[in-house]
Amino acid sequence: MVTDILKPYLEEFGVPLDEKQLEQLEIYARLLAEWNEKMNLTAIVDDEGVALKHFLDCLALLRQTYIPSGARVADVGTGAGFPGVVLKIARPDIDLVLIDSLQKRLNFLEEVLSQTGLSAKLVHARAEDAGHDEKLRESFDFVTARAVANLSVLAEYCLPLVKVGGVFAPMKTAEAEEEIAQAKPAVAALGGKIREVKLYELPVAGGRSVVVIDKERQTPPKYPRQGTKISKKPIK
């Protein structure tokens, strides 16, 4: 079972889970395998990979950052639900919004939420459109994204969603120093400031990092731009 592989690492990573939460993760893993046969959700399908490269990595975010009780949390470009769904399992108190541009991925997540008994809002939208939605813009205490885009691009997608005083915490590899340095002008232009980069090691997966970015000022109204402009001409 996936959770049998995961359990020995939970104490080390400082994220205790009860039997109900472990059962929810097991259901999630089963659905991931079933749905992955008919649509491309993840290239990692073996039990060890799902347990350590997906679930443990997502849980590590709770150790590397602080999410206030009852916080409104957005997972941008959530894909198969990483890290958002795993965060919700570990922290059922958060008010979770999962944002993705592909409806069939949201259909999968709807099934996961239903079978695990979790509640979250699913938003079918491109990140740049979500950033201009008055119901979403600058309304989140905590925003995260995993394996979505270069940080200069990702900051423009995500920082407009973070309220002033909130945090944007994208998940990256441990070898992202140059990428992070190059993203500083974009982060500043969007109202943020990089506070720190938290490094950690995953068994079998190696070094990972979380970039902790504080939202200090409102994002100028012109951001985010349309997707092609963001990717072709990142803020410098």
Side-chain angles (χ1 to χ4, degrees):
M1 293 175 67
V2 168
T3 51
D4 288 338
I5 299 169
L6 181 65
K7 281 179 189 177
Y9 298 97
L10 293 177
E11 184 175 349
E12 176 188 342
F13 275 70
V15 187
L17 299 177
D18 61 25
E19 287 304 314
K20 178 182 178 182
Q21 291 166 316
L22 291 170
E23 182 182 355
Q24 289 171 320
L25 285 175
E26 202 64 53
I27 293 169
Y28 188 8
R30 173 177 57 79
L31 290 171
L32 185 66
E34 291 175 1
W35 281 65
N36 207 55
E37 292 181 0
K38 55 188 177 182
M39 59 183 286
N40 182 27
L41 289 167
T42 175
I44 299 170
V45 293
D46 63 289
D47 284 356
E48 183 181 60
V50 171
L52 304 181
K53 294 181 181 179
H54 281 327
F55 289 172
L56 188 61
D57 190 28
C58 296
L59 291 169
L61 183 61
L62 294 173
R63 179 71 177 268
Q64 304 303 325
T65 61
Y66 171 69
I67 303 177
S69 178
R72 191 172 194 227
V73 175
D75 179 7
V76 178
T78 184
F82 303 126
V85 173
V86 179
L87 295 180
K88 181 67 176 179
I89 289 172
R91 286 283 305 274
D93 60 288
I94 64 173
D95 178 11
L96 178 65
V97 177
L98 301 168
I99 302 172
D100 202 88
S101 62
L102 200 60
Q103 183 60 50
K104 63 181 181 179
R105 287 196 287 253
L106 295 176
N107 293 342
F108 162 70
L109 293 173
E110 187 173 30
E111 183 67 13
V112 171
L113 295 171
S114 174
Q115 291 207 27
T116 54
L118 297 169
S119 63
K121 183 177 181 180
L122 303 175
V123 175
H124 179 213
R126 293 182 179 278
E128 62 267 33
D129 295 328
H132 286 290
D133 185 330
E134 61 182 18
K135 294 180 181 178
L136 301 173
R137 185 178 178 87
E138 296 190 322
S139 69
F140 291 95
D141 303 291
F142 189 92
V143 174
T144 188
R146 181 174 180 259
V148 174
N150 179 282
L151 186 56
S152 294
V153 172
L154 194 58
E156 188 167 351
Y157 285 140
C158 296
L159 271 169
L161 295 166
V162 184
K163 65 169 60 172
V164 175
V167 168
F168 171 42
M171 305 180 73
K172 291 286 178 182
T173 67
E175 294 77 38
E177 297 97 334
E178 183 177 351
E179 177 186 339
I180 292 166
Q182 292 175 348
K184 286 183 178 180
V187 169
L190 294 157
K193 182 179 181 180
I194 297 175
R195 184 202 317 165
E196 59 183 334
V197 180
K198 306 292 286 288
L199 299 171
Y200 61 99
E201 289 283 329
L202 282 180
V204 310
R208 301 280 294 153
S209 66
V210 177
V211 187
V212 183
I213 300 172
D214 295 318
K215 181 71 173 284
E216 296 186 329
R217 306 175 309 281
Q218 286 189 319
T219 300
K222 66 180 179 180
Y223 299 119
R225 298 165 295 163
Q226 285 304 302
T228 53
K229 290 183 179 179
I230 296 173
S231 58
K232 290 182 179 179
K233 292 186 177 181
I235 302 169
K236 295 182 179 180

